[in-house]
Structures are given as C-alpha cells and as structure tokens.
Amino acid sequence: AAVQAQTSSRLGTMLARHWMEPVAALGLLVGVLALKPGFAGLTVALLALWGGAPLWAWWVSRPRANQGPAMPSPADARLLHAIAFESWQRFERCVTAGDNHLPPDNLQISPHEMLAHRTSPTNIGLYLLSTACACEFGWITRQQLIVRLQATLGTLDHMERYRGHFFNWYDTQTCAPLAPRYVSTVDSGNLSGHMLATAQACLEMADKARRVDDHPLAMELQVLADRLEQMAWQPEFAFLYHPKRHLFHIGYRWPDQQVDPGFYDLLASE
C-alpha cells in the first residue's frame, strides 16, 4: 500500500492520469481569447489554476521528510493530560450498573444535568479503550480495569445483534435497540477496532504480570483479551461491501432488510 501510494503521487503518474485537464484548459484558453480578448487576465488566471491541477495535486501529495515523532511542549502535555483525565472522569461517573455498564451518549450539564440513556457501538468502543488508557495512566488499578471490562462485556454478550453487528443505538437502561434499527458500517468498524486495541492493551498488561509471577492476574487479562478479540471479529462486513464499486455501503436498514444506497467515499467519509 505504501509503494502504491508513493507511485501514485509521482509527477509523471499524475500527468498521465490527469492529462485531460491541461488539454481542456488550453483549448478553452484559445477559444476565450479568440472570442473575448478583453478578459485575458482573468481567463489565464482561472484556466491556469484548473489546467495546473495535476501539478498542484503532485505538490501537496509529496511525501514529507522523516523528521521523527513530534513531541508536545511540556505545557501542551499538561493540557492534554488534564483533558484526558477529565474525559475519563466522565466515564467513571456515568458508566454504572443503572445503565448496564454501558456508556451513555452524553451528559448535559446546562441549564441542568441530564444523562442521555442511549449508546452506540462507537461510544462503547471508546469507553473500552479509555478504560485501558486510564489503567495505563494509573488512574485505576488493573483489577478495576478487569471489573469494568468484564461488566461491559457481560452486557454486550446478551444484546441483540444482526450478523454479528451491534445496532446503531441502544437504550442503556433496557439494552433494547432503538427504532429504527440500523447497522452502521463505520460504527461497527469503530467498535471492532477499539476492541482489538483494548485486547492488545490487556495482552501487554498480562505479559507484565507474568514477569512478576502474578499468574492469576495474567490469566484474567488473557481471558479478557480473548473475549474482546472474539467479539471484534464476529461482525460480517461482506454484505456491506459493494464489489464493483470497491466501497462500503453506509449501513444496513434492518426494517427494510436492505443495504443503504449511500456509500462511504470522498464525499461521505468518517
């Protein structure tokens, strides 16, 4: 993929792929100058921008020199750390047994507090990964991590799905899918990706536990990682993929039993 991306951004490749733009721009330039020579300046400027599109595309697509990872300043690092901790506090406060250990979509704080008792696959995935990050930062213990992940996975095990996909919205107090039932391709992808990342975090923690001979903790973390990976790979994406267009449908309309006619492409991308 990296070689393909590099090849496609070469100037020769760009010119070969988009040769029609300069040719069309030149033809229009000749025609306009012959018919309306009084607009020569504006015509040349506009058509130069259009005709030079392959050149501009090549210029902005050039690979940047490897300068190493950019590190935030100490002040920026403190700010990011504070924002992360405040975000985790929201999860710690709102993800409770009353909502079946699922993360509510939002917490309204003004003009009065109101918790939205609904959630999505993306919300769930972000919560799972945030829990692993909170443990890595030292805000919760590994045992607290295990308790939280086990509780949420226990709820997910019993929630209704379609071909392995969780629906786009659920009532957090009843765990029932909200109408109209819809499978969102991007939400399912988000959840699977977050689950795999959380599973990897659990595996790394399990490895550290083994190094200090804490085998019971390592076993619990290993079991969690296995559960996360298994659930992450359960959704079927083949029926959401259009083989001719090489694009994913935006989702699946469960009440209509058909895929959404829209696609994820350059105009509809998350």
Side-chain angles (χ1 to χ4, degrees):
V3 173
Q4 184 179 7
Q6 184 178 3
T7 303
S8 64
S9 62
R10 291 175 180 169
L11 180 58
T13 304
M14 285 286 188
L15 291 174
R17 185 176 297 173
H18 302 285
W19 61 270
M20 291 189 64
E21 285 89 337
V23 172
L26 182 60
L28 284 173
L29 178 62
V30 173
V32 172
L33 291 180
L35 297 175
K36 299 285 185 179
F39 296 96
L42 179 60
T43 301
V44 170
L46 291 176
L47 291 180
L49 287 174
W50 180 39
L55 181 62
W56 318 139
W58 165 77
W59 181 264
V60 300
S61 301
R62 292 176 305 154
R64 295 179 59 186
N66 186 9
Q67 301 175 344
M71 300 301 294
S73 66
D76 287 342
R78 288 193 296 272
L79 174 62
L80 291 171
H81 193 273
I83 293 173
F85 181 63
E86 185 177 353
S87 300
W88 168 248
Q89 285 184 309
R90 181 260 179 182
F91 283 125
E92 195 169 36
R93 173 185 174 185
C94 298
V95 181
T96 64
D99 282 287
N100 290 289
H101 307 285
L102 298 173
D105 183 65
N106 64 78
L107 172 65
Q108 174 186 296
I109 58 176
S110 179
H112 56 270
E113 289 196 354
M114 180 182 301
L115 196 61
H117 296 289
R118 63 179 181 274
T119 196
S120 69
T122 295
N123 290 340
I124 296 168
L126 284 170
Y127 167 67
L128 295 173
L129 187 55
S130 295
T131 305
C133 292
C135 185
E136 188 69 22
F137 277 120
W139 301 331
I140 60 175
T141 66
R142 290 178 182 175
Q143 198 57 49
Q144 289 173 316
L145 164 79
I146 291 172
V147 170
R148 283 185 170 273
L149 293 183
Q150 285 178 337
T152 301
L153 289 176
T155 298
L156 295 177
D157 282 338
H158 298 93
M159 288 168 60
E160 184 178 351
R161 282 176 273 178
Y162 177 76
R163 299 177 73 167
H165 292 267
F166 288 93
F167 289 105
N168 206 29
W169 289 105
Y170 290 86
D171 185 309
T172 56
Q173 295 179 314
T174 66
C175 297
L178 297 180
R181 298 184 184 191
Y182 188 85
V183 171
S184 168
T185 305
V186 70
D187 273 276
S188 288
N190 287 343
L191 178 57
S192 291
H194 287 121
M195 282 184 165
L196 292 174
T198 307
Q200 186 61 40
C202 290
L203 290 175
E204 292 181 2
M205 294 180 198
D207 185 57
K208 292 178 182 178
R210 291 189 190 96
R211 293 178 188 177
V212 296
D213 293 327
D214 193 344
H215 296 292
L217 176 61
M219 181 59 69
E220 286 187 283
L221 290 165
Q222 180 69 55
V223 170
L224 274 175
D226 292 343
R227 290 180 66 187
L228 286 162
E229 288 187 358
Q230 182 182 15
M231 191 173 290
W233 290 111
Q234 284 179 353
E236 302 174 28
F237 283 92
F239 76 98
L240 294 169
Y241 184 73
H242 196 288
K244 292 185 177 179
R245 299 189 63 171
H246 301 292
L247 295 171
F248 277 103
H249 290 272
I250 291 177
Y252 180 83
R253 300 175 179 177
W254 188 87
D256 302 327
Q257 297 290 292
Q258 64 181 14
V259 292
D260 197 300
F263 294 91
Y264 283 112
D265 52 26
L266 296 178
L267 297 179
S269 175
E270 297 184 55

